[in-house]
């Protein structure tokens, strides 16, 4: 996407109000948390979430952490019971993300969860993050505000150095306190999915011993249990074979089209929703060629995994 003007906002009432307005309009806003600066977008808005991946230059659609102001709000989006509820009560707000089953009617973009039926939720303690989440009054998807593969930003200047022109604004509230990403816990049995700012020992005082990551569930940044359609996928197809449904891209005849105008951000925004819809038709899916530039890399990565033989 072409560059846009990035505003630097103060974490005062006027700055937070402007940041919330930008989020509500589908914009991207970086904001401080106690761990690192996040790159936030409305977690219900497919295009905003696709823009996060585009701005970061992420080669893959791994699921994003959704930020909310408190446990009560988190429960609109996920079922937080048992040990997860005990952890939320013990450590929220704080540097802990909980992976929990999606709640009915959650309304989150499938791109946020990478099509999974679970979501990672966090309640940040930083006052600027709390203010923004309360004024915006909605779920904010936010990975760290750095280009993919670069170091996580702990100041607004770091954010600007990496992403100036790729987001609408950054809320500047000085340096982050923790500087480490949040600890992620989830799965059944409950496992440490990523070490981070909250120590495993502290978590285990509430839960007892956690299973290690990779117990067949997830590994940090690399999910082994990706959403996979039931239907078989045939890639780089220009037309459907008899019996197939066609997922198009660009101007063409198709059953569903990722983006008639050939816009990769729109295509990313539609990817999981369209795959789910076509999958429900219980027929093999042919997929049109997608360019490999920009977000096309992540789209092709996701399609290649969905098309790979199941083991
Ligand atoms: P971040 O880049 O800091 O937003 O971290 C996101 C990471 O959280 C992902 O790479 C996953 O490892 C983890 N994660 C997010 N959502 C889920 C989920 N639904 N299930 C398992 N892990 C998740
Ligand atoms: Mg990161």
């Amino acid at each position: 996407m072409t560059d846009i003007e990035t505003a630097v906002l103060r974490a005062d009432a006027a700055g937070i109000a402007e940041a919330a307005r930008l989020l509500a309009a589908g914009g991207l806003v970086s904001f401080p948390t106690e761990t690192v600066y996040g790159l936030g977008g409305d977690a219900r808005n497919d295009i905003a979430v696709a823009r996060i991946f585009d701005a970061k230059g992420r080669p893959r659609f791994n699921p994003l952490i959704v930020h909310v102001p408190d446990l009560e709000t988190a429960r609109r989006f996920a079922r937080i019971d048992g040990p997860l509820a005990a952890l939320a009560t013990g450590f929220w707000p704080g540097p802990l993300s909980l992976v929990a089953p999606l709640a009915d009617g959650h309304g989150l973009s499938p791109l946020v969860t990478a099509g999974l039926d679970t979501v990672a939720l966090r309640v940040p303690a930083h006052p600027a993050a709390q203010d923004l989440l309360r004024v915006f009054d909605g779920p904010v998807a936010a990975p760290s505000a750095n280009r993919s593969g670069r170091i996580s930003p702990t100041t607004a200047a770091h954010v600007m150095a990496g992403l100036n022109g790729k987001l609408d604004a950054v809320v500047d509230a000085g340096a982050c306190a923790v500087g480490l990403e949040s600890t992620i816990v989830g799965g059944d049995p409950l496992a440490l999915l990523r070490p981070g700012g909250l120590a495993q020992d502290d978590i285990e005082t509430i839960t007892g011993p956690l299973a290690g990551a990779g117990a067949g569930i997830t590994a940090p940044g690399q999910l082994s249990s990706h959403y996979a359609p039931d239907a078989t996928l045939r890639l780089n197809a220009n037309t459907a074979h008899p019996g197939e449904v066609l997922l198009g891209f660009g101007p063409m005849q198709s059953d569903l089209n990722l983006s008639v105008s050939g816009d990769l951000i729109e295509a990313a925004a539609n990817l999981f929703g369209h795959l789910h819809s076509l999958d429900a038709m219980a027929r093999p899916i042919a997929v049109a060629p997608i360019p490999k530039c920009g977000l096309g890399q992540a789209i092709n990565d996701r399609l290649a995994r969905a098309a790979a033989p199941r083991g």
Side-chain angles (χ1 to χ4, degrees):
M1 212 168 92
T2 51
D3 280 8
I4 54 177
E5 192 162 334
T6 303
V8 179
L9 302 172
R10 286 207 276 210
D12 57 14
I16 294 294
E18 174 63 3
R21 189 192 66 75
L22 288 166
L23 285 175
L28 299 190
V29 175
S30 177
F31 60 96
T33 74
E34 67 276 31
T35 59
V36 301
Y37 273 72
L39 179 61
D42 185 340
R44 301 160 297 195
N45 181 325
D46 295 316
I47 294 282
V49 178
R51 286 185 60 205
I52 293 175
F53 287 94
D54 186 56
K56 285 183 65 81
R58 271 204 179 170
R60 283 194 184 153
F61 293 125
N62 41 355
L64 304 179
I65 296 169
V66 175
H67 295 66
V68 290
D70 50 36
L71 173 58
E72 191 192 337
T73 310
R75 288 200 156 117
R76 285 195 233 148
F77 306 104
R79 298 199 306 274
I80 300 175
D81 315 310
L84 291 181
L87 287 174
T89 306
F91 295 114
W92 279 355
L96 173 68
S97 298
L98 300 175
V99 174
L102 284 166
D104 290 338
H106 57 83
L108 297 173
S109 164
L111 203 51
V112 161
T113 62
L116 298 170
D117 51 15
T118 54
V119 59
L121 287 159
R122 171 157 119 79
V123 174
H126 196 291
Q130 277 285 328
D131 288 349
L132 178 59
L133 292 169
R134 287 183 193 284
V135 174
F136 173 58
D137 194 25
V140 175
S144 54
N146 52 278
R147 295 278 299 170
S148 185
R150 311 302 284 271
I151 297 165
S152 294
T154 54
T155 65
H158 293 166
V159 176
M160 288 299 271
L163 291 176
N164 188 9
K166 304 287 178 211
L167 71 170
D168 295 272
V170 53
V171 175
D172 185 355
C176 301
V178 178
L180 272 179
E181 257 127 353
S182 64
T183 303
I184 308 178
V185 173
D188 187 12
L190 204 60
L192 183 73
L193 304 179
R194 178 178 78 185
L198 180 66
Q200 180 168 359
D201 288 352
D202 292 338
I203 294 169
E204 290 180 338
T205 59
I206 291 186
T207 61
L210 293 170
I217 314 153
T218 49
Q222 212 176 7
L223 301 181
S224 53
S225 62
H226 268 296
Y227 159 73
D230 289 326
T232 58
L233 258 69
R234 186 170 65 84
L235 306 184
N236 299 313
N238 286 304
T239 54
H241 292 165
E244 286 180 339
V245 286
L246 182 60
L247 180 59
F249 178 83
M252 63 189 288
Q253 285 287 336
S254 58
D255 294 274
L256 280 178
N257 199 306
L258 289 170
S259 170
V260 175
S261 66
D263 177 334
L264 288 165
I265 292 182
E266 184 184 15
N270 285 328
L271 180 65
F272 288 99
H274 281 10
L275 282 176
H276 275 288
S277 302
L278 291 178
D279 207 18
M281 296 168 73
R283 283 154 60 184
I285 303 170
V287 185
I290 316 285
K292 302 217 163 35
C293 53
L295 272 183
Q297 194 187 352
I299 296 171
N300 278 294
D301 170 77
R302 195 65 201 78
L303 288 169
R305 285 158 193 273
R310 318 280 149 75

